[in-house]
Amino acid sequence: MALKYLPLLASVATVSAFVSAPFGQKPLGPDSTDHALGQFTCELPPVLVPSGDGLPSGDSLFSSHEALLKQVERHQAIVRVPSICFDDLGDVDKDERWGPFHDLHDTLAATYPTIYKRAKVEKVNTLGLVYTIQGSDTSLKPLLLAAHQDVVPVADASTWTYPPFDAYWDGEWLWGRGSSDDKNSLTALMSAVEALLSHPNWVPTRTIILAFGFDEECSGYRGAVKINDLLTERYGDNGIGLILDEGGLGMQLLGDTLYVLPAVMEKGHVDIWAELQVMGGHSSIPSPHTGIGIAAEMITALEARPYKPQVLKDSPVYNHLVCVARYSSKEAPKITELLEKGDLERLTSVFADISGASRYMVQTSQAIDVISGGAKINAMPEVVKIGINYRVAPQDSIPKVQDTLVKNIDSVIQKYNLTVKAFVGDKEYEAYRSEHASTSPNTNTADFDYNGVLVLKSHEGSDVTPISPTSGPIWDIFSGTIQHAFAFEGGKVVPVGEIMNGNTDTRHYLNLSRHIYRFTPTQQRGDENIHTVDERIRMDSHLNMVKFYYDLVRNFDAADV
C-alpha cells in the first residue's frame, strides 16, 4: 500500500478519469450520482450515527481498558505469524515459504471462533480467505471489506528495537512487521465482525463479505485476482455495493477542521526492465565503455528528465483543495486565492512544492531501483539489467511512459549504435508510438563496435483507476460514518477523496463496484514506519479502527441503497 502523507498542506498555511483496468477487467464508468464536472462544492452529508438495530454502541464495546488488552492479545497473535510475501515465491502448493499462512489461518480460527461458527469460510487458491455472512435481503448488494494477510520481508532483524515478529507491546505501541501494513486492518475487521456476530439474534440485512488476499505485497496475482474471479462469478459485474480496503492519505488538521482523506483513485503502475547486451572480454584489454558504463549514461539521461506535475481540474487533488478553500481559507490563503483565480498552473507549482509527497500525487514518479551486471572482476559484463519503477499520474499513461523512456535515452542509443527491441508485441505501445512518432538525427560517435542490443520489457502494468463517486447515497453513508467516528468538540470533520501513489488489492476488483474506497482509519501518528525498521501501531488508534468498522457495517446495513 502507499504510505500516508499527513502534513500535505501544512506549509501552505501561509502562503473524470476513465482508463482501462489490468488483467482484462472492465472498470465501471460513472453513474448518475456523480458530480457534474466543475460543480464540486464540498457539501457535507449529515453525520450518521448507528441506531435502531438493537446493538450496543461502539463506544460501549471498545473504549475500556479491558477491551484494549483484549485487542492487544488478538493483534499480537496475528502479528507473530511471519506471513511474508517474497518476490520469488513459487506455487502455493510447492514453495515451503508459504507455510506460515496456514499457521495464520489456524490463528484466525482460534482468535475469532464466532466468525468461524456463523460465517461461510472459503479458501481461494489455497491461501486466500473469503468470509461471507449472508444477509436476509438478497436484493441488496453486499458490503465487501478487504485487507491482506501478507507482510514485506525484514532486511535485518538486528536493527529493530524489538524483534520484528515478537509483537512487543510497550503499553502504547505494538511493534512488529505487519503491525500496521496490513494486519492492522485485518485484525480490526475481524474484531468488528466478531463483535457483531457475538449477538446471536443479530442477522445482517445486507450480506457482508470479508476478503483477505495473501500476496498484495507481491502485486496480488495469486490472491486478489483469484478472489475477484470467485466474486465476479457469484455476484457479477457491479454486484458489490461498496468495497473498502486499506490506504488513503490519513487525516490532516487545519485550524479547527479535520480533513479525512480516503483514496478514490490509484495512480497507475508499471515496472520497466532494460537489458543491455554488449560484447564482453578480458578486463586487461577493455572497450572504451563497459556495459555498466553505457547503462550509467542511460540512467543519467533518465534522471535528468523528470515528469512534469499537473493538477487537473475536477481531479481528487483539485477537489481536496476546493474543500480546503471552503472550510480553511484563513489557514490556506494562497490555495484559496489561486482557486478563485482559476490559475491551475500556479496552483500546480504551489502544491507540488509543498513536499515530495504532494508532488508525486500530481506527477508521474520514476525510480531506478535495480541494477545488476558483471560476473567477475576481470571480465567485462556482457549483460546489464536495470529495473525502473513508475507510478503513473492521471495526465500520463503507460504507453506514454514507455515511449518517453525510449526518447529520453535516444541520445545514448544513437551514440553507441545500439539495436533496440522495445516492448515487442505490446499493441498499446505500438499504437501510441505510431501516433507520436518522431525522428532524431543519427548521432553515432562511437569509435568502437559494441555489438549492443537493448531489450525493453514492461512488467506488472496497471492503469490509473477510475475515480470512485464522492456524492450520492453510498458516499453519504461512508462520509457520514467518518464524520461520526472522528468528531471532536469545536471542530468539523471533512471527508474528501484523494489519489494514492501506491496500489492496493482493489485494482483487481474494479469490475465489482463503482464505489471503491481505500481508507485505513488511523488517526495522526496512529502508526509508524510502514515497510521499514521498527514498524508499529498505537493500540488506542487501532481500537478506534475497530469501532469505525463496527459502525460502518451497522450504518450500511441499515441503508436501503
Side-chain angles (χ1 to χ4, degrees), residues 231-257:
L231 297 179
T232 300
E233 181 180 356
R234 185 168 295 167
Y235 300 104
D237 289 342
N238 198 25
I240 304 295
L242 181 149
I243 299 175
L244 180 63
D245 198 359
E246 61 167 338
L249 273 71
M251 306 179 195
Q252 177 201 20
L253 185 65
L254 282 180
D256 61 357
T257 303

Side-chain angles (χ1 to χ4, degrees), residues 535-546:
E535 181 179 355
R536 57 193 181 272
I537 178 73
R538 210 176 69 207
M539 286 305 295
D540 60 346
S541 177
H542 171 83
L543 202 58
N544 285 332
M545 287 180 62
V546 180

Side-chain angles (χ1 to χ4, degrees), residues 92-326:
V92 294
D93 57 347
K94 295 179 181 178
D95 195 321
E96 294 180 354
R97 291 175 294 173
W98 290 113
F101 287 84
H102 297 287
D103 299 333
L104 179 58
H105 295 181
D106 293 341
T107 299
L108 291 171
T111 306
Y112 300 105
T114 307
I115 290 179
Y116 275 78
K117 180 180 179 181
R118 295 190 59 185
K120 178 182 179 180
V121 183
E122 297 172 278
K123 294 190 177 183
V124 181
N125 196 19
T126 305
L127 299 178
L129 290 172
V130 175
Y131 303 83
T132 305
I133 301 95
Q134 185 63 48
S136 59
D137 187 346
T138 57
S139 69
L140 298 175
K141 292 182 180 181
L143 168 66
L144 172 59
L145 304 170
H148 61 88
Q149 308 168 54
D150 56 307
V151 303
V152 297
V154 173
D156 182 357
S158 68
T159 62
W160 286 59
T161 302
Y162 305 102
F165 293 105
D166 276 11
Y168 179 79
W169 185 53
D170 64 9
E172 180 180 12
W173 296 87
L174 193 149
W175 303 62
R177 172 61 81 231
S179 57
S180 178
D181 185 12
D182 180 39
K183 291 181 175 178
N184 186 21
S185 301
L186 178 69
T187 304
L189 286 170
M190 290 291 281
S191 299
V193 174
E194 180 81 359
L196 289 163
L197 296 181
S198 294
H199 298 275
N201 295 326
W202 183 78
V203 176
T205 304
R206 183 188 305 272
T207 295
I208 303 165
I209 303 167
L210 302 175
F212 302 146
F214 60 90
D215 63 339
E216 191 273 348
E217 302 292 1
C218 303
S219 295
Y221 297 115
R222 294 179 170 104
V225 168
K226 300 299 183 182
I227 291 172
N228 178 70
D229 291 343
L230 173 73
L231 297 179
T232 300
E233 181 180 356
R234 185 168 295 167
Y235 300 104
D237 289 342
N238 198 25
I240 304 295
L242 181 149
I243 299 175
L244 180 63
D245 198 359
E246 61 167 338
L249 273 71
M251 306 179 195
Q252 177 201 20
L253 185 65
L254 282 180
D256 61 357
T257 303
L258 180 68
Y259 295 91
V260 183
L261 308 172
V264 295
M265 185 185 206
E266 291 182 5
K267 290 177 75 174
H269 167 220
V270 66
D271 296 331
I272 295 181
W273 291 90
E275 180 177 289
L276 177 62
Q277 306 162 4
V278 295
M279 185 186 305
H282 200 285
S283 298
S284 63
I285 312 174
S287 55
H289 297 277
T290 68
I292 290 176
I294 297 172
E297 289 191 39
M298 293 181 185
I299 292 171
T300 300
L302 289 172
E303 293 195 334
R305 297 170 177 84
Y307 285 77
K308 293 182 179 180
Q310 185 178 3
V311 173
L312 302 174
K313 191 172 183 181
D314 303 307
S315 67
V317 170
Y318 182 89
N319 288 348
H320 175 190
L321 298 180
V322 168
C323 290
V324 170
R326 174 166 181 170

Side-chain angles (χ1 to χ4, degrees), residues 525-539:
R525 288 209 72 244
D527 55 15
E528 298 284 347
N529 295 7
I530 290 173
H531 282 212
T532 191
V533 175
D534 285 345
E535 181 179 355
R536 57 193 181 272
I537 178 73
R538 210 176 69 207
M539 286 305 295

Side-chain angles (χ1 to χ4, degrees), residues 76-95:
Q76 283 180 322
I78 290 168
V79 172
R80 283 171 179 157
V81 181
S83 50
I84 298 171
C85 192
F86 297 97
D87 285 341
D88 62 345
L89 279 165
D91 294 340
V92 294
D93 57 347
K94 295 179 181 178
D95 195 321

